[in-house]
Amino acid sequence: MSNMRLLAIVFMMCMAEPCVPAQPDSPAHNWGVEALMQKLAQVDHSQARFVERKYLKVLKAPLEQSGTLSYTRPDRLEKRTLKPHLEILSVAGEKLVLENPSRKVRRELKLRDYPALWGFVESIRSTLGGDIKSLERFYRLELEGKPSDWRLFLVPLDRKMNEVISLVRIDGSDARINTIEVQETGGDRSVMKIYEDSR
């Protein structure tokens, strides 16, 4: 399987990120990417529910899936899709695991062996962890809005990654992430709505 096809497969599974508790607004004159990252970095663990819709040019209606998300500092992230069928994507350190129990499939990958895939994973994990240095390794960062209503734009720097993904947009409020939209170079896109787990 080629690296680009592998990235596309993981991309279709991994369009999510846990929400995080809200924190007080920073003063407007101090607001920027670094201030946002500091807010996100304060969270040790988070749990969320998600509903994701994938808009494909070849289909008239979006594909929908839903499930749960969890993050544990410093580097563990899990997306557990429950509907329409069970799929599990987990990342810890440099290891990524894809599981599809119904097909009896389990695959482990080392992120360093797949630089474009590694960059995509860090768009999620490093944003959640408030790791600005890792984000800047893979993306050009642009922030709009104010602390209570912000939009973070991640533009891939890697040419191979840019062949699959043109932009990642993350919307949030304070230290909480509400929406993740991923735009593919070919015109398809995914929109993930994230809801705080009330349990």
Side-chain angles (χ1 to χ4, degrees):
M1 180 181 295
S2 69
N3 287 2
M4 283 299 97
R5 179 167 176 76
L6 180 61
L7 174 59
I9 291 172
V10 175
F11 158 74
M12 293 297 288
M13 295 180 65
C14 187
M15 291 296 100
E17 183 172 358
C19 60
V20 293
Q23 301 290 334
D25 275 3
S26 297
H29 64 278
N30 291 331
W31 180 242
V33 174
E34 291 187 1
L36 173 61
M37 292 296 110
Q38 289 173 2
K39 282 178 174 284
L40 295 170
Q42 294 174 9
V43 179
D44 291 326
H45 177 77
S46 60
Q47 188 82 21
R49 295 174 294 107
F50 72 87
V51 176
E52 178 184 13
R53 292 182 176 87
K54 299 177 181 179
Y55 299 86
L56 308 179
K57 292 190 297 183
V58 297
L59 299 177
K60 293 183 178 179
L63 300 176
E64 183 173 303
Q65 60 181 11
S66 60
T68 63
L69 305 159
S70 65
Y71 169 79
T72 302
R73 184 170 295 283
D75 59 14
R76 181 167 182 80
L77 179 68
E78 181 183 271
K79 176 187 179 186
R80 183 177 292 263
T81 300
L82 302 177
K83 295 180 180 180
H85 52 80
L86 180 62
E87 289 181 340
I88 303 168
L89 184 147
S90 60
V91 183
E94 294 185 9
K95 183 173 73 173
L96 182 148
V97 179
L98 299 170
E99 298 179 80
N100 188 319
S102 65
R103 297 181 181 179
K104 297 182 179 180
V105 173
R106 187 180 190 278
R107 185 171 184 182
E108 292 188 11
L109 305 173
K110 291 185 178 180
L111 293 175
R112 286 191 177 273
D113 294 337
Y114 303 90
L117 173 58
W118 185 15
F120 176 72
V121 168
E122 293 304 342
S123 73
I124 297 172
R125 183 168 62 177
S126 294
T127 299
L128 186 59
D131 188 347
I132 189 171
K133 289 185 178 180
S134 291
L135 284 174
E136 289 179 336
R137 177 177 181 176
F138 296 101
Y139 299 95
R140 184 178 79 250
L141 310 182
E142 298 178 9
L143 181 65
E144 294 182 356
K146 55 187 178 180
S148 60
D149 181 17
W150 53 263
R151 294 164 297 284
L152 180 65
F153 300 89
L154 307 180
V155 181
L157 298 175
D158 182 76
R159 178 183 57 80
K160 291 184 177 180
M161 185 177 181
N162 196 257
E163 291 175 358
V164 179
I165 298 171
S166 60
L167 177 69
V168 179
R169 170 176 167 167
I170 303 174
D171 295 3
S173 175
D174 296 300
R176 175 172 175 168
I177 294 169
N178 301 321
T179 305
I180 298 176
E181 178 175 345
V182 180
Q183 298 178 11
E184 294 186 54
T185 305
D188 297 335
R189 64 189 179 96
S190 292
V191 179
M192 172 77 65
K193 296 291 184 181
I194 300 168
Y195 305 94
E196 186 175 2
D197 196 328
S198 60
R199 291 177 298 176

